[in-house]
Amino acid sequence: QQPVQSPQAVILREGEDAVINCSSSKALYSVHWYRQKHGEAPVFLMILLKGGEQKGHEKISASFNEKKQQSSLYLTASQLSYSGTYFCGTEESSNTGKLIFGQGTTLQVKP
Amino acid sequence: GAGVSQSPRYKVAKRGQDVALRCDPISGHVSLFWYQQALGQGPEFLTYFQNEAQLDKSGLPSDRFFAERPEGSVSTLKIQRTQQEDSAVYLCASSPRQGPTGELFFGEGSRLTVL
């Protein structure tokens, strides 16, 4: 049930782009993206709902392929502040309270 | 601050001891969630409250784990007879909406170490 994220880790230079993927074997109602810096709380980035609605961050975009149960997070022109671990969370139904997180993708942006 | 507050931030327990972890959600938030995060892993769902009602406790790993939110605000996660495998960061999150479909506001967590 846990979504699978890829890659596990990415190292970038400032200004480079990155894509983080999230894949589920279950039909999904929504996909959520969070970023967590070491020792800190996860912070909300984006939610993508079945049907195409998106809510989230100004400088980060994402897509949700409902047929394939896949989502991708696009980080363009990366900044040092983008460093951290990115988690996707999936919700199978709007009726549950359960958001299931993937194992995370660690992103390191170097100057 | 108006964020989610968790206490204690760090707890060391001897195996077999009981522990209680507290979560103060953002005032007025309807939904409250507990997650367990092992080192290097994603948060794992434990339980979900909507106001004072515990609507989902399917993620609690054993009957040693118990959560409550008696007045629909503060929540306590209690772990009885702690084991080494209980060592983890316990994250609390709240949301102004029913369910997780929206932004979850996480606390910084309570790090439990069981010796």
Side-chain angles (χ1 to χ4, degrees):
Chain A
Q1 287 185 346
Q2 183 183 39
V4 177
Q5 291 184 231
S6 63
Q8 284 192 320
V10 185
I11 300 176
L12 297 175
R13 293 286 181 189
E14 264 188 299
E16 292 181 340
D17 302 340
V19 179
I20 300 172
N21 300 301
C22 175
S23 179
S24 174
S25 60
K26 301 277 190 176
L28 300 176
Y29 171 72
S30 69
V31 178
H32 306 225
W33 288 95
Y34 283 78
R35 177 172 62 212
Q36 186 178 31
K37 293 184 182 282
H38 184 69
E40 298 182 7
V43 173
F44 174 79
L45 294 175
M46 177 81 65
I47 180 172
L48 301 105
L49 299 171
K50 189 176 179 180
E53 184 180 359
Q54 288 190 28
K55 300 178 185 179
H57 202 278
E58 289 180 356
K59 297 184 179 180
I60 295 174
S61 62
S63 63
F64 178 22
N65 186 323
E66 297 169 29
K67 289 185 179 178
K68 293 185 177 180
Q69 290 89 250
Q70 292 176 347
S71 178
S72 295
L73 185 72
Y74 305 97
L75 304 165
T76 56
S78 58
Q79 305 170 15
L80 293 176
S81 62
Y82 285 10
S83 293
T85 302
Y86 290 77
F87 295 101
C88 70
T90 57
E91 206 184 341
E92 294 176 20
S93 163
S94 62
N95 296 327
T96 76
K98 191 178 291 187
L99 186 61
I100 307 298
F101 286 97
Q103 80 279 18
T105 296
T106 300
L107 176 71
Q108 185 180 5
V109 181
K110 294 187 172 182
Chain B
V4 177
S5 178
Q6 293 188 243
S7 61
R9 288 293 314 280
Y10 303 93
K11 176 70 179 179
V12 178
K14 292 183 179 178
R15 190 169 55 183
Q17 284 185 330
D18 298 348
V19 299
L21 308 176
R22 176 186 169 106
C23 173
D24 279 272
I26 294 172
S27 178
H29 276 198
V30 169
S31 297
L32 186 144
F33 309 83
W34 283 99
Y35 282 84
Q36 180 190 59
Q37 187 173 28
L39 189 64
Q41 300 296 315
E44 283 198 37
F45 173 84
L46 293 178
T47 188
Y48 160 57
F49 289 87
Q50 188 178 112
N51 296 308
E52 69 278 5
Q54 189 175 22
L55 298 188
D56 190 333
K57 55 181 182 179
S58 61
L60 296 176
S62 76
D63 58 7
R64 296 185 296 103
F65 286 72
F66 172 77
E68 60 183 5
R69 194 187 185 198
E71 297 178 0
S73 56
V74 171
S75 177
T76 304
L77 176 67
K78 297 179 180 177
I79 309 172
Q80 297 178 325
R81 305 181 303 282
T82 52
Q83 303 294 316
Q84 284 189 324
E85 60 263 27
D86 300 336
S87 295
V89 175
Y90 291 85
L91 294 168
C92 174
S94 68
S95 167
R97 301 175 57 144
Q98 294 180 4
T101 309
E103 179 175 357
L104 299 189
F105 295 82
F106 280 87
E108 292 187 317
S110 292
R111 181 179 295 276
L112 173 64
T113 303
V114 182
L115 303 176

